[in-house]
Amino acid sequence: MTFQKTDEVKVLRDPVHADVRVEYEVIWRLINTAWMQRMRRIRQLGGAFMVYHTADHSRFSHSLGVYEIVRRMITEVPDLARALNEREKVTVMAAALLHDIGHGPYSHAFEKVVGGTHEDYTCRIIEEDTEVTRILEAAAPGLSHEVADVIRHQSENPLLPQLISAQLDADRMDYLLRDSYFTGTSYGHFDLERILRTLRVEDDLVVVKESGVYAIDYVMARYHSYWQIYYHPGARSFECILSKLFDRLRDLNEAGHMPQSIPEFKPLIEGGVLSLEDYFVLDEYSCNYAFEVLSRCGDRITADLASRILDRRLFDYMEDTEENRRNVTAALEAAGYDPAYYLASDDVGQRVYIPYRVSAGNAIRVRLHGGEIKELSEASNIVQSLVRGRQLRDDRIYYPKEIRGLL
Ligand code: ZN
């Protein structure tokens, strides 16, 4: 079978890739679904826009970027262009475009509030008879499950998931470049063109040629971006306030004292897995409107937490130790703050590059000049020393700045 092409190649301008090119009708139709358009209303970086004021870019533009990198891989990397048939190429391009479609507002902060991970919702949106499902099935019966299988890492062809999520994949490549561009930082830069030129296929594995080892700046880009953008304590502080607000709403709801009805939040507050109809209306526009309403409600704590989100009155932070917790709790109580809603904590840990994690398809493999395949940390001295380094941790507690004088 063949897939219908668009009348002419559609070109979408993009500051990271210059052009995003669409030539399949099914891809164009997916971009125009309400589910994809909803991604315009969800920021790519959760709370990081509170730290980097231009980091307002959406999941929509990231999704197009991942699609474009995959499209280039399967057309410009000769081994991939040969190894995949047209159906597999369309499948992996659709999976790239849709891989984040199940994200809720404020990224990972929201995942703690809602029942289920964004991957669960992504596969449901693709397979549960939505507009997305119907477009995929109309293009080729069975396609919706094949696309979801790529996202679940269960494809019949093991090459497909490697292009979208492994260690050297289109998802990470796009977000490192895009987040770096939109935060105005240089941490995420790496040589995408060189990586694409050195990709090869060896026994169902995507590998890089030895000369591509110098694209190691990719691993370094990841390391710096994680600490400077994704794990920035300012962004985490914003996310902590968000989850405390939902803790408060849940407690009020249980006690039968909801100060203000927000119908869109009802399923969230009651808990459990959401229907796709309820999930659809949750985006950052509807949430911001709800926060504005809540900031004027009768419950003092709810109103305060909601206005902190809108007005960027972020929590302060310090290292999470027994002693610090004791001191902060005492200061909060002295100042009349309930620690249940005003003392938050989170922890992050990151290894710069973890070989052999999850599955065999999840390492960066290098083909040496002699033909031998080695895992990246064995082929690069720099990566080897990074892998051996201790795992960095950064456990913090968060509390209102107003109690500073009492600490
Ligand atoms: Zn992504």
Side-chain angles (χ1 to χ4, degrees):
M1 76 173 294
T2 54
F3 286 83
Q4 197 189 338
K5 297 274 183 83
T6 50
D7 297 340
E8 55 185 5
V9 177
K10 311 274 189 189
V11 179
L12 310 175
R13 306 306 307 276
D14 182 274
V16 176
H17 304 298
D19 289 339
V20 173
R21 303 173 73 83
V22 179
E23 55 177 346
Y24 280 100
E25 189 65 31
V26 57
I27 299 294
W28 188 243
R29 292 183 64 196
L30 288 170
I31 291 171
N32 290 304
T33 58
W35 276 107
M36 269 306 292
Q37 295 299 316
R38 169 181 170 273
M39 306 311 282
R40 292 181 187 267
R41 303 191 289 274
I42 293 177
R43 287 191 189 88
Q44 168 70 6
L45 277 183
F49 74 101
M50 285 283 173
V51 179
Y52 298 96
H53 67 93
T54 53
D56 269 325
H57 54 302
S58 68
R59 293 246 163 224
F60 182 77
S61 59
H62 163 64
S63 301
L64 288 174
V66 178
Y67 155 82
E68 176 61 17
I69 294 178
V70 164
R71 190 197 64 77
R72 290 189 59 195
M73 285 173 164
I74 62 176
T75 33
E76 294 174 25
V77 177
D79 282 359
L80 285 169
R82 265 194 304 273
L84 305 179
N85 62 37
E86 188 186 34
R87 184 170 182 131
E88 289 169 326
K89 287 176 183 173
V90 170
T91 303
V92 74
M93 284 191 289
L97 183 70
L98 300 172
H99 79 285
D100 274 345
I101 204 162
H103 261 285
Y106 305 110
S107 288
H108 300 286
F110 195 77
E111 232 169 284
K112 292 183 204 144
V113 176
V114 77
T117 65
H118 73 266
E119 287 93 351
D120 297 337
Y121 284 99
T122 293
C123 291
R124 286 179 60 195
I125 294 161
I126 293 171
E127 294 179 301
E128 263 186 28
D129 196 27
T130 63
E131 187 187 5
V132 171
T133 321
R134 290 191 287 274
I135 288 169
L136 290 167
E137 289 299 312
L143 193 61
S144 62
H145 301 297
E146 288 161 37
V147 169
D149 281 345
V150 175
I151 290 162
R152 284 191 286 256
H153 278 251
Q154 288 171 358
S155 283
E156 267 178 39
N157 186 338
L159 277 174
L160 306 186
Q162 290 176 58
L163 304 188
I164 295 175
S165 77
Q167 289 283 348
L168 191 66
D169 56 73
D171 184 19
R172 282 183 227 236
M173 289 194 221
D174 183 78
Y175 73 61
L176 288 173
L177 294 173
R178 189 168 302 277
D179 297 346
S180 161
Y181 178 89
F182 282 102
T183 50
T185 62
S186 58
Y187 314 119
H189 287 308
F190 64 91
D191 192 345
L192 172 66
E193 300 304 316
R194 186 171 179 115
I195 290 181
L196 288 178
R197 275 200 307 279
T198 55
L199 286 183
R200 300 289 184 271
V201 173
E202 198 86 43
D203 297 331
D204 285 343
L205 287 173
V206 178
V207 303
V208 282
K209 265 174 59 178
E210 187 167 3
S211 58
V213 166
Y214 301 101
I216 266 1
D217 54 350
Y218 166 80
V219 173
M220 300 304 290
R222 266 170 55 181
Y223 181 76
H224 291 299
S225 295
Y226 272 87
W227 286 110
Q228 297 298 324
I229 303 173
Y230 308 121
Y231 295 156
H232 192 291
R236 287 154 57 194
S237 166
F238 172 84
E239 291 163 9
C240 283
I241 299 173
L242 196 76
S243 67
K244 286 293 175 193
L245 172 64
F246 279 96
D247 285 352
R248 178 67 178 169
L249 291 175
R250 284 209 177 111
D251 291 349
L252 289 171
N253 186 55
E254 247 167 59
H257 294 312
M258 272 302 271
Q260 173 77 44
S261 157
I262 305 282
E264 293 77 9
F265 283 179
K266 200 164 176 276
L268 270 183
I269 291 166
E270 286 169 357
V273 175
L274 273 63
S275 72
L276 292 185
E277 289 72 30
D278 289 339
Y279 199 70
F280 181 84
V281 297
L282 293 168
D283 59 39
E284 291 177 16
Y285 290 23
S286 60
C287 281
N288 279 335
Y289 176 66
F291 297 154
E292 201 282 323
V293 171
L294 291 171
S295 73
R296 291 179 283 113
C297 79
D299 178 60
R300 194 171 51 84
I301 294 176
T302 305
D304 177 57
L305 292 172
S307 67
R308 280 174 187 276
I309 292 172
L310 295 173
D311 305 338
R312 195 190 179 278
R313 284 188 293 123
L314 300 181
F315 283 0
D316 240 343
Y317 43 81
M318 60 169 68
E319 198 190 342
D320 188 357
T321 64
E322 287 275 325
E323 193 193 351
N324 285 343
R325 271 179 185 260
R326 249 194 330 269
N327 291 340
V328 169
T329 305
L332 284 170
E333 281 165 353
Y337 289 100
D338 183 345
Y341 308 109
Y342 287 96
L343 174 61
S345 63
D346 73 346
D347 55 81
V348 290
Q350 198 227 0
R351 265 186 210 277
V352 56
Y353 166 72
I354 307 173
Y356 309 120
R357 206 186 57 167
V358 186
S359 71
N362 223 354
I364 299 177
R365 289 188 176 71
V366 180
R367 188 177 73 192
L368 304 181
H369 292 314
E372 191 188 353
I373 307 281
K374 277 197 168 175
E375 193 278 315
L376 178 64
S377 60
E378 293 169 2
S380 153
N381 291 336
I382 297 172
V383 176
Q384 189 167 49
S385 58
L386 285 171
V387 168
R388 285 187 182 156
R390 71 192 167 88
Q391 181 167 9
L392 288 172
R393 297 210 59 81
D394 188 34
D395 302 343
R396 293 180 194 254
I397 52 171
Y398 301 82
Y399 51 88
K401 283 193 170 81
E402 290 86 337
I403 64 162
R404 243 186 227 163
L406 296 169
L407 290 170

